[in-house]
Amino acid sequence: MRLLLLLGLLYTSLWSSRLNEEIRLNIGNESNTVKLLYAMNGNRPLWIGHAKNLNQFTQILQNPYYNYKNKLFKQDIIDQYLYLVHNNMNTDENFQELYKLEIALTSSYIALGNFIVKSDVDWDSVNSKLSDLKASKDIKANWEMVRKKGPSVKDFFKALVNQNIENFYNSLTPLKKRHKALINALQQYQSMYDIKKVRYGDNLKLGDNHTRIVEIKKRLAISGDFPQQNSYSEMFDARLQSAIVQYKNRFNLEQNNMIDKVTIYYLNKPVNMLIKDIIVNLDKLKVFPNKFPSEVVIVNIPEFRMNYYKNSYSILSMNVVVGRDVRPTPIFASKMTYLVLNPTWNIPVNLVRRDLIPAMEENPNYMKEHHINAYKGWGKNSKKIKNFSLSKLLPYKNGGSIPYRFVQSPGDDNALGRVKFMFPNKYSVYLHDTDNKDLLTRRYRVYSSGCMRLHHPFELLELLKPRLKVSSSRVDEYLASKKTKHLSFNKKLNVQTVYFTVFERNGKTYFRKDIYGYDKFIQEATQEEESQHSFIPMVQETESYDSTLF
């Protein structure tokens, strides 16, 4: 039996018919979803006379958890006519205003639902910008976005019938824990008005006394990095030192035991810029799965960090090296199915041109010193070429099909280290050990050609041993043999790379540099619409800021 909403407001049959008729006559220019939604209700009102739905929805429109950009969503029309419902309206005189209110509410209801699912970003435009990088800069930027459809008419209608609009919207919200953390951060930074700039001056260190220290403590208190106090001393004390360490961690600044000009630059960074960073990360949630698997390895590329999650808790976390800006690590999901102990490295053709040829031009003995062998062909019958020389490669330096294959032998100096973790994908990227551990201790770990190098690969190996089809002792034996060994999993492990430049950790908000420029693309592809009122507090800026610095 068809579900029809029962009006909670008593009105005459004549007035009811007039309102129904006005709705039918005036939805011609509305979206198909609006038309279908009214059709499911027999062209009867969906809001007028349904106080619970009406009150719930008008409150949700003002709730930043859902409308985090405070978009208009026809709130101007709704506010213009909503007073009629609350002020003893004359149904004979006001039915025209009421049908306008009715249709505006329905249109707004659908628009907000679609915004929660997809945001107001033109994701096709973002994809085009990523594709254009190949032509303009020879950069292959790959992001497998999860493109979602908006809610169905049936779902919209069901939520109205059941009078549970908020539960419905909440069910649409992606990655709820991360979303909630970003909303909390957004509200915190939107509340940071009238921040006075900290004066520049000489570097400050523990034990120093200076009037600028009072300014710094006040500024850190505003962002929650230093305790709020009635008065602040001019002493650079241990508490300030701890606050500075935390603040620098949140922005990935150099830990040099002092307050330098870079620190002051970040303290003075306009709140507007940080708010925009938070909002673009809320937008990004829309193109990832609504929920990550309960057991998954996640690499957050701008954070240069890998986490192994089990039941939503990180059981292993470590630094990673990711792809350079000209060779970005792809954003995608896959499943880890096997690992390789003592791997060889088959050098990709693009790296032969970009890296191997220049290295041999600089050092003719490069291949011998790094245990790299050249082969003619790719099959089992391919032959090793003795005394391979640079002259054989130079004809292919700028193009052409290279007829040689280059393989680095297993060993401690192998570029892949002693173990690599394989999750088959079309980008030929994986997690692996490395022969250059020093890079993993740097702040900006963007040195690879797309693969992800692990700081502590053997800790991950230890966690994965129960998944292997061989015993733990055999794994150790294979590793010690220094011979290449492929080991398959009994159970696949989910792997996901992500690109979040703002995230929560231990109750604090962390900001990272937009290393590939993807956030900028998203901001440029956002469909502009005038908000009911600005969601970004206006801050007086007395100096220009380059967001690419430091």
Side-chain angles (χ1 to χ4, degrees):
M1 181 179 177
R2 207 173 178 196
L3 291 172
L4 296 177
L5 290 173
L6 298 176
L7 296 180
L9 180 69
L10 295 177
Y11 49 83
T12 67
S13 298
L14 177 61
W15 180 81
S16 172
S17 298
R18 291 183 68 181
L19 182 56
N20 296 349
E21 183 66 11
E22 288 296 330
I23 292 172
R24 187 184 67 79
L25 292 173
N26 288 280
I27 60 173
N29 294 326
E30 300 296 326
S31 69
N32 284 334
T33 306
V34 171
K35 295 174 186 175
L36 289 171
L37 197 53
Y38 276 110
M40 292 186 74
N41 200 43
N43 284 331
R44 291 175 172 83
L46 296 165
W47 306 96
I48 306 303
H50 305 280
K52 184 174 180 180
N53 281 342
L54 180 60
N55 292 334
Q56 188 178 177
F57 178 63
T58 52
Q59 290 175 14
I60 288 172
L61 273 177
Q62 303 291 332
N63 188 341
Y65 184 84
Y66 303 106
N67 188 8
Y68 54 84
K69 294 185 180 180
N70 197 20
K71 293 181 69 66
L72 199 55
F73 292 131
K74 297 196 174 182
Q75 290 183 70
D76 52 345
I77 298 175
I78 293 169
D79 290 344
Q80 182 180 356
Y81 297 122
L82 191 60
Y83 76 94
L84 293 171
V85 178
H86 302 293
N87 288 278
N88 299 317
M89 60 184 173
N90 185 314
T91 55
D92 292 324
E93 294 179 3
N94 300 123
F95 72 91
Q96 288 190 344
E97 289 88 349
L98 287 172
Y99 89 72
K100 292 177 183 178
L101 171 62
E102 172 71 30
I103 295 175
L105 285 162
T106 304
S107 178
S108 178
Y109 172 57
I110 293 167
L112 180 56
N114 286 322
F115 175 78
I116 292 169
V117 174
K118 298 182 287 188
S119 82
D120 59 349
V121 175
D122 182 348
W123 295 109
D124 289 332
S125 174
V126 176
N127 275 323
S128 294
K129 291 174 184 290
L130 295 175
S131 298
D132 290 345
L133 288 174
K134 176 61 181 173
S136 62
K137 299 182 179 179
D138 194 25
I139 295 174
K140 293 182 179 179
N142 295 292
W143 185 347
E144 294 184 8
M145 297 180 182
V146 180
R147 302 295 295 274
K148 304 162 190 170
K149 294 182 179 180
S152 69
V153 178
K154 183 178 178 181
D155 289 337
F156 277 118
F157 188 66
K158 185 178 178 180
L160 290 172
V161 171
N162 295 333
Q163 298 184 317
N164 60 357
I165 297 172
E166 184 157 17
N167 288 342
F168 168 57
Y169 280 156
N170 193 50
S171 72
L172 303 176
T173 304
L175 297 170
K176 292 179 177 58
K177 184 177 179 180
R178 192 178 290 270
H179 178 91
K180 177 62 176 174
L182 288 171
I183 292 297
N184 290 341
L186 178 63
Q187 292 179 305
Q188 177 192 0
Y189 279 87
Q190 285 177 337
S191 69
M192 292 167 59
Y193 293 91
D194 300 325
I195 298 176
K196 295 182 179 179
K197 294 188 181 299
V198 178
R199 291 173 292 159
Y200 283 91
D202 294 336
N203 293 343
L204 299 168
K205 62 183 184 302
L206 187 66
D208 285 349
N209 275 277
H210 200 283
T211 55
R212 290 171 55 233
I213 290 175
V214 174
E215 300 172 25
I216 293 167
K217 287 180 177 179
K218 288 182 178 179
R219 170 61 185 83
L220 290 170
I222 291 172
S223 58
D225 295 288
F226 192 84
Q228 291 277 359
Q229 297 176 354
N230 293 326
S231 62
Y232 299 89
S233 72
E234 298 180 357
M235 167 68 73
F236 193 140
D237 51 22
R239 181 174 286 181
L240 177 58
Q241 177 80 335
S242 177
I244 288 295
V245 168
Q246 175 177 273
Y247 186 84
K248 288 186 173 185
N249 277 335
R250 295 204 299 113
F251 288 87
N252 197 27
L253 306 182
E254 182 184 4
Q255 294 290 357
N256 53 11
N257 296 315
M258 64 177 65
I259 300 173
D260 54 15
K261 291 181 180 179
V262 175
T263 312
I264 302 302
Y265 171 90
Y266 273 82
L267 288 171
N268 287 339
K269 199 170 185 180
V271 174
N272 291 14
M273 294 174 65
L274 301 178
I275 288 174
K276 288 179 180 178
D277 291 341
I278 295 168
I279 287 173
V280 81
N281 279 269
L282 281 161
D283 286 337
K284 274 185 281 188
L285 298 180
K286 316 298 187 181
V287 289
F288 285 99
N290 279 2
K291 186 178 181 181
F292 290 134
S294 60
E295 188 168 7
V296 60
V297 169
I298 294 180
V299 176
N300 186 16
I301 296 167
E303 188 184 2
F304 317 119
R305 196 137 189 101
M306 182 218 83
N307 278 278
Y308 184 165
Y309 290 96
K310 199 167 185 177
N311 297 322
S312 301
Y313 291 97
S314 177
I315 59 174
L316 180 65
S317 183
M318 69 181 75
N319 290 347
V320 298
V321 166
V322 300
R324 285 167 268 178
D325 58 350
V326 295
R327 305 179 193 177
T329 296
I331 305 171
F332 70 109
S334 185
K335 293 181 184 293
M336 192 182 297
T337 57
Y338 70 100
L339 58 82
V340 182
L341 301 177
N342 304 311
T344 57
W345 182 37
N346 289 281
I347 305 176
V349 172
N350 64 319
L351 298 190
V352 171
R353 286 197 177 93
R354 291 181 175 182
D355 297 337
L356 183 59
I357 292 177
M360 292 178 69
E361 287 177 325
E362 186 174 323
N363 177 10
N365 294 319
Y366 184 87
M367 286 181 59
K368 183 178 180 180
E369 291 174 4
H370 290 83
H371 305 100
I372 297 173
N373 296 306
Y375 293 84
K376 181 73 172 180
W378 281 262
K380 291 183 178 179
N381 298 323
S382 61
K383 295 182 179 180
K384 182 178 176 180
I385 303 173
K386 296 182 179 179
N387 301 317
F388 187 88
S389 63
L390 176 63
S391 61
K392 291 184 172 65
L393 265 181
L394 287 178
Y396 309 99
K397 182 175 181 179
N398 297 315
S401 179
I402 299 176
Y404 311 110
R405 178 167 59 96
F406 298 89
V407 181
Q408 187 178 34
S409 301
D412 292 330
D413 63 344
N414 186 285
L416 306 183
R418 299 291 302 282
V419 60
K420 64 177 180 178
F421 304 89
M422 305 300 293
F423 36 100
N425 59 84
K426 61 185 177 183
Y427 313 110
S428 299
V429 299
Y430 39 83
L431 296 164
H432 65 87
D433 185 16
T434 178
D435 62 330
N436 190 350
K437 303 289 187 185
D438 175 64
L439 297 179
L440 284 149
T441 61
R442 301 185 183 183
R443 283 187 299 127
Y444 286 93
R445 298 182 284 277
V446 280
Y447 300 102
S448 85
S449 295
C451 286
M452 293 147 279
R453 307 174 193 175
L454 299 173
H455 199 182
H456 304 293
F458 296 105
E459 291 184 18
L460 179 59
L461 175 61
E462 199 64 31
L463 283 176
L464 296 179
K465 281 182 177 180
R467 289 177 177 268
L468 299 174
K469 294 181 179 180
V470 298
S471 65
S472 177
S473 59
R474 291 300 296 273
V475 174
D476 296 337
E477 290 174 13
Y478 293 141
L479 194 60
S481 73
K482 296 192 176 181
K483 294 181 180 179
T484 303
K485 187 69 177 179
H486 291 66
L487 300 177
S488 298
F489 286 10
N490 283 313
K491 183 181 179 182
K492 297 177 182 179
L493 177 62
N494 293 291
V495 178
Q496 173 81 58
T497 58
V498 298
Y499 194 87
F500 295 124
T501 51
V502 183
F503 52 89
E504 181 269 340
R505 188 194 299 162
N506 299 323
K508 298 293 182 182
T509 304
Y510 286 69
F511 296 83
R512 290 295 180 263
K513 186 176 180 180
D514 180 19
I515 56 173
Y516 296 159
Y518 295 172
D519 286 12
K520 183 173 180 289
F521 288 166
I522 293 170
Q523 289 172 344
E524 291 172 347
T526 299
Q527 299 166 12
E528 293 186 3
E529 174 190 289
E530 184 181 357
S531 298
Q532 184 182 20
H533 52 78
S534 177
F535 58 81
I536 299 178
M538 299 307 296
V539 179
Q540 291 293 326
E541 299 180 20
T542 57
E543 55 185 298
S544 61
Y545 287 81
D546 182 352
S547 61
T548 64
L549 293 178
F550 314 113

